[in-house]
Amino acid sequence: MEHQRIGTGEHTVFVLSGWFGSSRAWQALLPHLDLSAFRYVLWDYRGYGTRRGEAGDFSLAEAAADVLAGADALGVDRFSLLGHSMGGAVMQRVYADTPERVRAMVGVSPVPASGFPFDEAGWALFSGAADEPGNRRVIIDLTTGNRLTGVWLDAMVRHSLENSDRDAFAGYLSAWSGADFQDEIDGGTVPVKVIVGEHDPALGAETMRGTFARWYPNLETEVLANAGHYAMDETPVALAGSAERFLARW
């Protein structure tokens, strides 16, 4: 498993992308990171980015096991996790499996360990995105508050199409939306910060209060102004500062 690694710091952070992302989806954030304090491992799931064409069952358990195998291969015993959206569910699965190895977690509009319930229309929109690029565009527009440019929306859709296999994309939707392992992490003492955008209608502060705040006693929450679901693109300087100020404490 070859993944992009940047930075020379002692503190290793695995960076886990969302459903529409890949390891390449963090490019706008990279110039603002402290590469002397941290070492970042930009991760790809099976079927995504540098791992397109790789077989798998595209589950959270498999994704978490791969992260742990990657940490072993790098000789990293303890590490932190930075997970966006679906990556927020993956990072919690890693923690559930090996809590002693996780220093801290930062979730950026993270999917809770209880998944995300859809109504019939929502499921039709999201499940149809595996085969219909237009659905992907609508979802990205909705989750950023219908306020960003068509040029950016088109680029996000293009990135998703070019960096994910169709079956992996479809499989991960069932994995993160149907997650149900909150009992395994409830009361976990790991330091956690959730960073959400003020314009994210689904995974914003209210959702975090009903999920993460119930499970993690050492939780901090921050709402970023002028951001929706994709803070790494919308407010990269603010996101980098928020995440690293927290991680530096652990």
Side-chain angles (χ1 to χ4, degrees):
M1 293 179 286
E2 292 295 327
H3 300 278
Q4 182 183 3
R5 300 189 296 273
I6 62 170
T8 58
E10 173 275 333
H11 193 153
T12 298
V13 183
F14 282 83
V15 183
L16 310 175
S17 65
W19 189 42
F20 286 101
S22 76
S23 62
R24 302 183 181 97
W26 301 85
Q27 294 305 306
L29 188 71
L30 302 189
H32 313 297
L33 298 175
D34 184 348
L35 302 185
S36 64
F38 299 94
R39 176 173 65 157
Y40 290 94
V41 183
L42 303 172
W43 194 256
D44 275 319
Y45 312 115
R46 299 187 191 209
Y48 273 51
T50 59
R51 302 177 71 185
R52 288 198 68 180
E54 187 172 340
D57 62 23
F58 311 123
S59 65
L60 297 182
E62 178 183 77
D66 282 351
V67 171
L68 291 168
D72 290 342
L74 292 172
V76 178
D77 181 45
R78 298 190 72 239
F79 50 84
S80 291
L81 297 156
L82 172 62
H84 172 242
S85 194
M86 177 178 81
V90 176
M91 77 175 186
Q92 292 176 88
R93 186 66 260 175
V94 173
Y95 175 67
D97 292 341
T98 57
E100 70 280 359
R101 297 188 68 176
V102 179
R103 294 173 62 161
M105 299 193 298
V106 175
V108 182
S109 298
V111 171
S114 55
F116 188 86
F118 286 104
D119 60 20
E120 184 176 349
W123 180 253
L125 175 64
F126 276 69
S127 62
D131 297 305
E132 177 49 63
N135 286 35
R136 302 189 191 205
R137 194 181 195 276
V138 169
I139 292 166
I140 297 166
D141 195 20
L142 284 171
T143 56
T144 51
N146 303 111
R147 43 184 269 284
L148 302 178
T149 70
V151 172
W152 181 80
L153 294 172
D154 291 340
M156 292 289 286
V157 172
R158 187 165 57 252
H159 180 95
S160 177
L161 293 169
E162 293 175 352
N163 285 279
S164 62
D165 295 335
R166 186 267 175 205
D167 289 347
F169 186 83
Y172 287 126
L173 171 61
S174 296
W176 63 258
S177 66
D180 186 17
F181 62 96
Q182 60 270 28
D183 290 346
E184 297 180 56
I185 51 86
D186 191 5
T189 57
V190 63
V192 184
K193 183 169 188 176
V194 291
I195 304 169
V196 297
E198 66 168 328
H199 298 291
D200 188 339
L203 291 171
E206 182 177 354
T207 298
M208 300 303 116
R209 283 192 293 269
T211 55
F212 279 79
R214 289 168 44 203
W215 306 325
Y216 297 103
N218 295 323
L219 177 74
E220 296 181 17
T221 302
E222 182 172 353
V223 178
L224 289 185
N226 202 35
H229 191 66
Y230 295 89
M232 68 285 296
D233 281 296
E234 298 170 85
T235 55
V237 179
L239 176 61
S242 177
E244 290 193 331
R245 282 191 298 272
F246 179 76
L247 291 173
R249 291 158 48 193
W250 314 104

